[in-house]
Amino acid sequence: MMAACGSPGGSDAPTGPTATPAPTGSADGAPAAVREALRAVEKATGEAGSARVTSTTAMGRMLSMETTGLLSWARGPVGRLTLTYTGGEVADTMRELGSASMRARLLPDAYYARFGDAFAARTHGRHWIRYDHDSLKDLPGGSGAQLKEELERTAPVQPIELLLACESARRVGPDPVGGHPATRYSGTLEVAELADSPLKRRLTDAGVVTQSVDIWVDERNLLVKKVEKGQLEETGELRQTAFYDDYGVRVSVERPPSDDTVDFTELLDGQGQGS
C-alpha cells in the first residue's frame, strides 16, 4: 500500500502562485519528476557523507531540546553532539542530575551520553552512559525509542527517505535559506498507511502517527534545511527544524574511557550505582 499524503497544514503550507499541483502518484512513492529530483538530492547528500548540524526539537510533553555538532553517515551513524534540554519531563530529570546540557557521542554500535558530577556520584565516579542502540527502547515511557528516532531524524538523509515514501510529495518552488537560493519540497504521510518496511517499523516504534516533511535544497542538490512535524501517539506533537552546512567536514569520534563509562544495562540491574 502507498502512503497517504497531502499538503502539510499550518503556516508552512504553500499558498499563492508558487504552489504547484501535485502530479499523479506513482506505485513506488513520490511522483516521477519529483522522485527523480529527490533521488538526486539523496545521492548528493549521501556522497557528501557528513555535515555540521544545528537543530531544535520538541516532542510533546516529553522534551524540547537544541542540538549542535557534527554528524557522519558514510559508514553508519557517527557524530559528536551537544544536547541542551530546554523543557519537558526529560529536561526536569536532567536538571536534577545536573546535566541540562550534555555531550553525546554517536557510534555505529552505541550511543554515549555524558552526565554531570551529580550523576557520577551515583555511579562510582563514572560520567558516561553507554546505550546499545537496541537497548534504547528499554528507556522508560518510550523515551528511548523517541531518542533513537530523534538521532536518526537529525541526519539529513531521513527526511529525503520520508518524502520518497510519500506519493504526493511535490516541489513547492524557490524559497531562499539564509539569503542563499534554495528549492523547497514538501509532503505529508500517514504512518499506518505505509507499506510494511524498516521505515514504517522505525516510525511506529517511536510512536509517530502522522509526519509532514519540508526540505530546502541548494544548487548543489544538498539539503540545507528541513522542518518535520508530526503527531506522537503517547506524548503529543513532534516538531524538528534543522540547518545543515559544512558538508564533507571530517568527523572523528572516540569512545569515552572505559573507566569513566557505565553501561545502561548495569543501571537497569542496579549494578552500576553506588551506595
Side-chain angles (χ1 to χ4, degrees):
M1 184 183 295
M2 296 182 294
C5 306
S7 303
S11 59
D12 285 331
T15 58
T18 59
T20 56
T24 302
S26 63
D28 54 358
V34 173
R35 187 176 183 82
E36 182 179 359
L38 291 173
R39 285 296 186 198
V41 176
E42 182 181 53
K43 181 175 185 293
T45 302
E47 289 177 348
S50 63
R52 189 177 305 276
V53 60
T54 302
S55 72
T56 58
T57 304
M59 292 182 176
R61 67 178 182 275
M62 180 68 68
L63 69 86
S64 59
M65 64 188 294
E66 299 173 353
T67 303
T68 60
L70 303 176
L71 282 174
S72 171
W73 50 91
R75 296 179 182 86
V78 173
R80 295 200 316 269
L81 304 168
T82 298
L83 284 61
T84 301
Y85 295 93
T86 56
E89 296 172 4
V90 173
D92 294 340
T93 300
M94 298 301 290
R95 289 190 193 101
E96 291 176 4
L97 295 172
S99 301
S101 180
M102 70 181 190
R103 287 178 283 155
R105 298 180 187 177
L106 181 63
L107 290 164
D109 63 327
Y111 167 75
Y112 294 84
R114 190 187 191 284
F115 290 77
D117 291 340
F119 171 83
R122 308 180 187 182
T123 56
H124 304 290
R126 291 173 289 181
H127 294 84
W128 291 89
I129 298 182
R130 179 191 182 277
Y131 300 91
D132 179 276
H133 288 314
D134 290 336
S135 72
L136 281 173
K137 67 179 182 298
D138 296 324
L139 283 173
S143 60
Q146 291 176 2
L147 175 59
K148 183 178 180 181
E149 177 65 16
E150 138 75 14
L151 292 169
E152 293 172 340
R153 185 184 294 114
T154 299
V157 288
Q158 176 163 302
I160 305 169
E161 182 183 9
L162 289 171
L163 281 176
L164 283 167
C166 181
E167 65 182 21
S168 61
R170 67 198 187 283
R171 179 183 183 275
V172 177
D175 191 1
V177 175
H180 300 286
T183 301
R184 180 178 169 187
Y185 295 85
S186 184
T188 302
L189 58 85
E190 297 288 338
V191 174
E193 298 186 21
L194 282 170
D196 186 46
S197 65
L199 173 64
K200 180 177 181 177
R201 290 191 290 274
R202 195 166 71 231
L203 293 171
T204 301
D205 287 346
V208 179
V209 178
T210 63
Q211 186 83 44
S212 71
V213 187
D214 288 75
I215 67 172
W216 286 255
V217 179
D218 70 7
E219 296 169 323
R220 302 167 296 169
N221 277 331
L222 294 173
L223 192 152
V224 292
K225 177 185 175 182
K226 70 87 179 268
V227 175
E228 292 186 44
K229 299 178 185 177
Q231 189 67 29
L232 299 173
E233 190 171 20
E234 297 293 332
T235 58
E237 186 180 19
L238 158 73
R239 182 182 177 103
Q240 185 185 67
T241 300
F243 295 88
Y244 304 91
D245 60 14
D246 205 6
Y247 273 94
V249 64
R250 184 174 181 271
V251 182
S252 176
V253 182
E254 295 182 358
R255 294 184 190 279
S258 59
D259 60 358
D260 197 24
T261 302
V262 59
D263 196 275
F264 173 64
T265 55
E266 293 182 47
L267 296 180
L268 285 180
D269 295 339
Q271 299 174 16
Q273 299 186 36
S275 56

